[in-house]
Amino acid sequence: MKHGNLVSQMTLEEKCALLAGKDVWHTREIPRLNIPAITLSDGPSGLRKQAGEGDHLGLNASTKATCIPSAATLACSWDATVSEAMGAVVGRDAVNQGVDVLLAPGLNTKRSSLCGRSFEYYSEDPYLSGKLAAGFIRGAQKQGVSACAKHYAANAQELLRMHSDSVMDERTLREMYLTNFEIAIKEGKPGFVMTAYNRVNGVYANESRHLLGDILRGEWGFDGAVVTDWGGSNSIVEGVREGMNLEMPAAGDDSPCQLVKAVKDGTIDEKIIDERVDQLLDFVLAEHKSGESSFDAAKQHQAAEAAAEKCLVLLKNDEHLLPLKKDARVAVIGEFAARSRYQGAGSSMVNAERVESTMALLPGYFLKNVGYAQGFERQDKPNAELEAQAIALAKNAECVLMYIGLPESFETEGLDRTHMRLPQNQIDLLEKIHAVNPHVIVVLSAGSAVEMPWINCCAALVYGCLGGQAAAPAVLNVLSGKVTPGGKLAETFPVAYTDLPVSQYYPGTEYIAEYREGLYVGYRY
């Protein structure tokens, strides 16, 4: 053991306490041995350090930080250096705010686009996911913070996520749901790995000897610390036995007491406790940087914008409508232009340092814009008055920039989508706008794939995904030709969701989620 001398000075109670959190975001300290507490915070789309009372769902306010493009967006760059640059951005924010462990990246394979957290994950392809996650980890850890790869493993649905059992054959598990983690761990070398809530083939991921002992620590040689997802521990005794080092968040003294009792009655060997404590101390005792004097929020924003530009995907450009001329008579329609949809919801939600506004920036790009109309209500409620205003505006324009996409409630932790369609009020408006002005350019904001039966109602289509706080200028730079859109989809957009084999089995609505589609996820089908 690296810290055997220190571990030998700890009481059994102290050792067991160290393996369970102090509160929502901190580990326990042992002052008499100069063992400090460390701080953990969310971070897939930017740092989310809560300023007041902590919670893991993103309900309470967090401190200001840089909101980077979501993982689903970064994947469209197909470039690990872009992901690494964003890891560095989030890492610098973490160091500046005294965070020791960044709970990112999320790299689960996208089994279905209906998963509510698809925007937090890179791709349906485990190789691409692993490479990009490794880049993010390298970028973050070079700043002096430990990254935490999550959620290990086969965590593919939000419905019943606390106890759903992901059942599949070993080949599917290995090739589709572990390859991504293997690449990220071997190439990125994260300090931490977070276990998933769900069971995998009958055993909770956090208690799985196969996942933690045989594969993670055995085959892959992972020598870091394993932390539970928040509330994802079902038995601290079994978790510690199989490889877990830290249960989060705090459960008072109940968990440490269970662990002490298990040692005393012979249920678990104290040597296992010592080993888990020793592994965790590597990070607790590390000298973490804090409060960088060179921190520059403006440069962070510039880096986020540069990344967003590299991720934009041009899906359609009939008649070479794009790029638009500076003197084009442009009408802007859609609430997403006035109130940008730039990130997902849930525990990854960032209190963005600065959010660029499309409408504020527009005059600098198109000198003759003829106006703006909201056009539709965000939550799929028909509004004839808004529609009429948008149609009237479209008639007077040379072309229409129509900003549409999925509302926040469609993409959030804890809930899966029930379909792959855009809100019907947006589709209805698009069809009506196209009828009076065929030169429609759609800017689509969505963190995962959508069905596009409406694609013939637009002459050009730019997929912005969820571009972070600098999404607006990145999109305008593409529309105006300042930037060439070089992004490519990292997720299959089927004509209809029912075309995919997974549609027959997703989500698992009972105790078991059967992965009957096997390897045939996304493009593999």
Side-chain angles (χ1 to χ4, degrees):
M1 292 196 299
K2 295 181 183 178
H3 310 283
N5 184 51
L6 184 58
V7 174
S8 68
Q9 298 177 56
M10 299 168 67
T11 66
L12 175 61
E13 288 73 16
E14 286 173 333
K15 289 185 287 189
C16 293
L18 201 64
L19 301 181
K22 180 174 71 173
D23 53 31
V24 176
W25 300 115
H26 301 89
T27 62
R28 301 181 191 234
E29 62 275 291
I30 304 177
R32 74 176 188 87
L33 295 175
N34 296 316
I35 296 175
I38 58 173
T39 302
L40 305 90
S41 286
D42 281 314
S45 300
L47 185 70
R48 189 182 75 89
K49 182 184 180 185
Q50 288 186 294
E53 186 176 350
D55 72 89
H56 71 284
L57 292 177
L59 302 179
N60 293 329
S62 55
T63 55
K64 293 276 189 179
T66 313
C67 182
I68 65 168
S70 68
T73 313
L74 294 176
C76 292
S77 73
W78 287 71
D79 188 342
T81 64
V82 173
S83 184
E84 183 168 342
M86 290 302 93
V89 165
V90 186
R92 283 192 290 269
D93 271 340
V95 167
N96 188 56
Q97 297 191 31
V99 170
D100 304 299
V101 181
L102 183 65
L103 302 175
L107 62 141
N108 291 94
T109 299
K110 296 184 187 186
R111 180 186 178 213
S112 168
S113 297
L114 296 186
C115 176
R117 295 181 85 171
S118 278
F119 66 90
E120 283 190 54
Y121 306 139
Y122 293 103
S123 177
E124 66 194 29
D125 180 67
Y127 181 83
L128 178 59
S129 295
K131 288 290 186 180
L132 292 170
F136 185 98
I137 292 163
R138 288 192 297 269
Q141 295 193 156
K142 285 177 183 175
Q143 312 311 310
V145 63
S146 293
C148 178
K150 63 182 188 180
H151 310 85
Y152 183 72
N155 179 223
Q157 66 179 61
E158 293 299 284
L159 181 68
L160 306 176
R161 65 177 182 164
M162 303 299 286
H163 68 268
S164 178
D165 186 3
S166 300
V167 175
M168 69 198 81
D169 62 273
E170 185 72 5
R171 181 183 175 188
T172 297
L173 175 64
R174 294 277 188 159
E175 293 188 19
M176 296 304 302
Y177 302 99
L178 296 186
T179 293
N180 43 343
F181 282 95
E182 181 177 8
I183 293 169
I185 287 162
K186 288 182 175 179
E187 297 184 10
K189 301 187 185 305
F192 284 72
V193 167
M194 180 189 291
T195 52
Y197 287 125
N198 52 282
R199 295 177 171 92
V200 179
N201 290 331
V203 182
Y204 279 110
N206 193 61
E207 301 168 11
S208 172
R209 179 168 302 178
H210 187 49
L211 289 177
L212 300 184
D214 298 343
I215 298 173
L216 180 65
R217 295 198 184 277
E219 294 180 23
W220 300 347
F222 177 69
D223 60 357
V226 174
V227 60
T228 68
D229 201 342
W230 267 231
S233 173
N234 296 278
S235 166
I236 190 170
V237 175
E238 293 308 312
V240 168
R241 185 197 311 281
E242 304 306 343
M244 182 267 287
N245 301 87
L246 179 61
E247 178 188 90
M248 292 296 290
D253 290 328
D254 184 57
S255 288
C257 287
Q258 288 182 36
L259 208 48
V260 169
K261 181 178 181 296
V263 172
K264 289 182 175 178
D265 66 18
T267 303
I268 187 171
D269 194 319
E270 188 170 355
K271 289 181 180 178
I272 296 176
I273 307 294
D274 292 347
E275 183 179 355
R276 301 292 176 255
V277 169
D278 186 67
Q279 291 163 339
L280 184 60
L281 284 175
D282 258 359
F283 302 94
V284 171
L285 299 177
E287 288 191 19
H288 295 279
K289 298 177 184 177
S290 61
E292 272 191 324
S293 58
S294 60
F295 182 80
D296 188 328
K299 287 184 178 179
Q300 296 278 88
H301 183 82
Q302 290 168 6
E305 181 177 339
E309 289 175 348
K310 293 176 181 176
C311 301
L312 291 165
V313 186
L314 183 64
L315 292 177
K316 184 178 182 181
N317 192 21
D318 285 2
E319 304 169 12
H320 302 289
L321 191 57
L322 294 177
L324 291 170
K325 296 181 177 67
K326 195 173 183 66
D327 61 353
R329 297 181 66 253
V330 173
V332 181
I333 294 173
E335 192 190 352
F336 287 77
R339 188 158 61 92
S340 177
R341 173 81 207 289
Y342 61 93
Q343 66 171 325
S347 64
S348 69
M349 184 175 286
V350 178
N351 183 6
E353 179 70 36
R354 164 188 170 195
V355 181
E356 297 272 32
S357 164
T358 296
M359 297 313 300
L361 293 170
L362 195 69
Y365 289 85
F366 305 112
L367 302 177
K368 296 183 179 179
N369 60 86
V370 299
Y372 164 76
Q374 180 179 333
F376 58 84
E377 293 192 20
R378 213 171 181 95
Q379 296 300 331
D380 201 8
K381 182 181 177 182
N383 188 316
E385 184 179 352
L386 291 180
E387 273 195 358
Q389 292 169 357
I391 292 167
L393 183 66
K395 289 178 179 178
N396 294 321
E398 181 183 343
C399 59
V400 176
L401 291 180
M402 192 159 176
Y403 283 72
I404 60 178
L406 295 176
E408 288 81 354
S409 61
F410 281 45
E411 296 185 288
T412 181
E413 179 177 0
L415 296 172
D416 296 312
R417 284 195 283 164
T418 56
H419 58 77
M420 281 184 62
R421 300 183 299 276
L422 289 181
Q424 190 60 43
N425 63 345
Q426 295 183 33
I427 298 173
D428 292 344
L429 178 62
L430 175 59
E431 291 173 346
K432 292 172 182 177
I433 294 293
H434 179 258
V436 300
N437 189 333
H439 303 302
V440 179
I441 301 157
V442 165
V443 177
L444 178 64
S445 297
S448 53
V450 297
E451 294 174 351
M452 297 183 183
W454 44 263
I455 196 165
N456 290 330
C457 292
C458 63
L461 173 58
V462 175
Y463 179 51
C465 201
L466 300 177
Q469 66 183 50
V475 169
L476 288 171
N477 286 340
V478 162
L479 297 178
S480 64
K482 289 184 178 180
V483 169
T484 299
K488 296 174 177 62
L489 293 180
E491 177 180 2
T492 299
F493 277 52
V495 173
Y497 181 63
T498 50
D499 291 342
L500 303 177
V502 72
S503 66
Q504 301 177 54
Y505 315 115
Y506 187 95
T509 57
E510 304 293 340
Y511 176 85
I512 291 175
E514 297 178 337
Y515 285 51
R516 288 181 177 267
E517 74 283 354
L519 303 175
Y520 297 113
V521 173
Y523 72 86
R524 284 172 170 77
Y525 175 67

